[in-house]
Amino acid sequence: MKVLGIDPGLQNTGWGVIEVDGVRLRHIANGVIRSGQGALPARLLVLFQGLSQIIADHAPDAAAVEQTFVNKDASGTLKLGQARGIALLVPAQAGLSVGEYAPNAVKKSVVGVGHAAKEQVQHMVRVQLPGVEFACADAADALAIAICHAHHLQSRAVRIKVPA
């Protein structure tokens, strides 16, 4: 099974694809979609087209997106929400199930601590995906989201197999 992780952002949307084989995880690809500056509709279109191409290129079986946190800047939060909408729409349009995870849930799944630093998350992603090279910090976050979803899917599969 291939899992696409998406770290939504209006300027930089990180993405990462991993393969899940039982408890083994393998890095497939990662990168970032840069929407540049300019009018919001054009930037959202760049994100839409970029994610559509990633799904076409890597044919994931499932996707996961980080949930938006609310910050002090209402306008910035709204724009991030629109980028996140694209990150939810594109996989759904491709027929993929989409998981959503809070940042603390991702950190807890990958590191074991919900308030881990970015460096700790990146270190543990490297441990779980040996040899991975991150395109950028946003791509590392996207891989962490994919790993979180893989762990969630694995634990759900184990619960289903346990007789009642």
Side-chain angles (χ1 to χ4, degrees):
M1 168 183 264
K2 287 184 192 174
V3 177
L4 169 64
I6 304 171
D7 181 26
L10 184 56
Q11 286 190 335
N12 299 311
T13 290
W15 62 271
V17 179
I18 63 171
E19 186 174 57
V20 182
D21 183 14
V23 295
R24 293 186 5 212
L25 303 177
R26 185 173 69 88
H27 173 257
I28 301 295
N30 71 86
V32 64
I33 303 165
R34 300 187 194 284
S35 68
Q37 301 294 320
L40 182 61
R43 294 169 74 189
L44 293 174
L45 179 61
V46 168
L47 297 179
F48 178 87
Q49 291 171 332
L51 286 172
S52 296
Q53 189 62 54
I54 290 159
I55 289 173
D57 290 347
H58 297 287
D61 301 295
V65 178
E66 189 171 65
Q67 291 177 341
T68 304
F69 61 91
V70 178
N71 58 31
K72 296 174 187 172
D73 176 17
S75 175
T77 300
L78 181 60
K79 288 177 184 175
L80 176 58
Q82 291 169 327
R84 189 171 175 277
I86 298 295
L88 293 168
L89 169 68
V90 174
Q93 185 181 42
L96 304 179
S97 64
V98 182
E100 298 178 71
Y101 299 95
N104 285 351
V106 173
K107 291 174 183 178
K108 186 166 187 171
S109 177
V110 175
V111 179
V113 179
H115 294 286
K118 276 194 173 286
E119 296 78 22
Q120 290 174 297
V121 174
Q122 289 177 5
H123 172 75
M124 289 308 294
V125 169
R126 285 188 182 98
V127 167
Q128 294 181 56
L129 302 173
V132 68
E133 297 284 334
F134 303 133
C136 65
D138 295 311
D141 290 346
L143 287 168
I145 294 160
I147 290 170
C148 175
H149 192 56
H151 290 171
H152 185 263
L153 293 173
Q154 289 165 344
S155 69
R156 188 175 347 155
V158 168
R159 283 195 305 263
I160 291 170
K161 291 179 185 176
V162 173

